[in-house]
Amino acid sequence: MKNFNWTCAYCNQPTTITEPNFSNGYELVKTSRSEMRYVAVEHTAIACPNPDCKKLSLSISLRKYGSTSMRAKTILSKHETWQLLPHSLAKPQPDYIPEAIREDYQEACAILKLSPKASATLSRRCLQGMVRDFWNIPKGRRGNLGAELNFIKDEIDSDTFDSITVIRETGDIGAHMEKDVNFVVDVEPDEAELLIELIEMLFANWYIAKQKRIDRNKKVREQSAKKLAEKKQAKSASNQSGNDEPAT
Ligand SMILES: [Zn+2]
């Protein structure tokens, strides 16, 4: 096995995976009487090398192959893959992001595969929660997301605004039944996944960047206060020693 770069979904730590932390293999399904005929179950497991994490990531795939005289080389297409561990691909988010917002995000990740439409709806709700909380939309101005976004339009760059519009519009598809119920607009899994990535980007650009700024400013203030105190102390010490000098 070749080493490969990987980011742990539990601790979010980018790392390189080498042999002892990786396991992959398959087992033949012993009946060929289903409509799928010849299939094998493949497992892929990675143990996180971060000593503070060590969590197991595990997925199972169903692979098809040609006939009973199967050798390793004849394993064919991957039919379907299930991510078993972690249960969801939600990345850990810091506590200073309000819990309700983190919950919507985690649920959007958890439901992604089963229902991209529901996931997109949750991402949209998560976005609305963020817009209201982070940008302090006054109670009187809260209503539909479109109006709330217009309220903050001048505060954010056009790139971010375009991304937000994508989340809103795809989420709307998930949330509202079209007038004609037979006219179904589906949300594709990769669209719903993109929305989750956009939500993660907004977490990073809004909450995490703001917190970093607060921490940095606090550190600068503390350091300059410390310097000032040291200077004062040095000055009073030199005054003291000045007073101690014998009068001539
Ligand atoms: Zn980890």
Side-chain angles (χ1 to χ4, degrees):
M1 186 205 85
K2 257 196 174 162
N3 300 346
F4 59 92
N5 294 329
W6 174 81
T7 301
C8 177
Y10 296 97
C11 67
N12 217 9
Q13 194 92 9
T15 180
T16 304
I17 296 299
T18 55
E19 190 80 56
N21 288 65
F22 180 78
S23 165
N24 173 258
Y26 54 84
E27 175 104 6
L28 299 185
V29 171
K30 297 228 166 61
T31 176
S32 60
R33 292 200 169 178
S34 80
E35 55 179 10
M36 298 183 77
R37 303 292 304 273
Y38 305 105
V39 282
V41 176
E42 178 189 34
H43 86 269
T44 304
I46 299 172
C48 179
N50 173 4
D52 294 329
C53 175
K54 288 183 156 183
K55 293 253 182 359
L56 184 71
S57 295
L58 176 69
S59 70
I60 296 287
S61 298
L62 204 55
R63 280 182 177 271
K64 287 185 174 177
Y65 62 93
S67 74
T68 41
S69 64
M70 197 218 59
R71 289 188 301 272
K73 286 191 191 94
T74 60
I75 283 268
L76 296 173
S77 60
K78 218 176 239 187
H79 180 66
E80 198 169 345
T81 298
W82 296 269
Q83 178 73 32
L84 299 182
L85 293 173
H87 295 293
S88 141
L89 290 177
K91 296 192 174 76
Q93 299 297 338
D95 292 349
Y96 50 75
I97 298 176
E99 198 180 347
I101 292 172
R102 279 183 285 136
E103 257 178 36
D104 280 347
Y105 160 72
Q106 281 153 5
E107 284 176 26
C109 293
I111 197 88
L112 176 67
K113 206 158 177 209
L114 209 60
S115 171
K117 225 186 283 181
S119 175
T121 308
L122 279 160
S123 286
R124 183 192 181 282
R125 202 171 88 147
C126 184
L127 168 72
Q128 185 157 27
M130 265 197 278
V131 168
R132 284 180 177 178
D133 173 69
F134 189 83
W135 295 99
N136 266 322
I137 306 278
K139 285 248 156 52
R141 299 296 294 263
R142 292 184 184 183
N144 70 48
L145 182 55
E148 290 171 9
L149 287 174
N150 278 333
F151 189 73
I152 62 162
K153 195 174 178 180
D154 297 335
E155 315 253 2
I156 47 185
D157 62 276
S158 61
D159 241 18
T160 306
F161 193 80
D162 290 347
S163 302
I164 289 174
T165 306
V166 171
I167 302 178
R168 182 168 75 95
E169 286 174 354
T170 316
D172 281 346
I173 295 172
H176 305 303
M177 190 77 84
E178 294 295 326
K179 281 197 187 88
D180 176 2
V181 285
N182 295 316
F183 180 71
V184 176
V185 185
D186 250 334
V187 179
E188 298 297 325
D190 53 344
E191 280 179 289
E193 203 175 336
L194 178 74
L195 299 197
I196 286 171
E197 280 170 26
L198 290 173
I199 294 287
E200 286 167 352
M201 186 192 78
L202 293 178
F203 282 158
N205 290 354
W206 290 357
Y207 288 98
I208 297 168
K210 183 184 174 187
Q211 189 62 40
K212 275 190 183 153
R213 217 158 47 232
I214 291 171
D215 291 346
R216 206 161 44 227
N217 284 332
K218 191 174 164 222
K219 208 173 156 191
V220 169
R221 276 201 308 275
E222 279 171 0
Q223 270 172 350
S224 58
K226 200 177 150 204
K227 280 262 166 64
L228 207 67
E230 280 169 3
K231 266 188 196 160
K232 264 188 189 162
Q233 209 172 23
K235 203 174 168 191
S236 80
S238 84
N239 280 348
Q240 205 85 51
S241 67
N243 292 342
D244 289 347
E245 268 170 32
T248 49

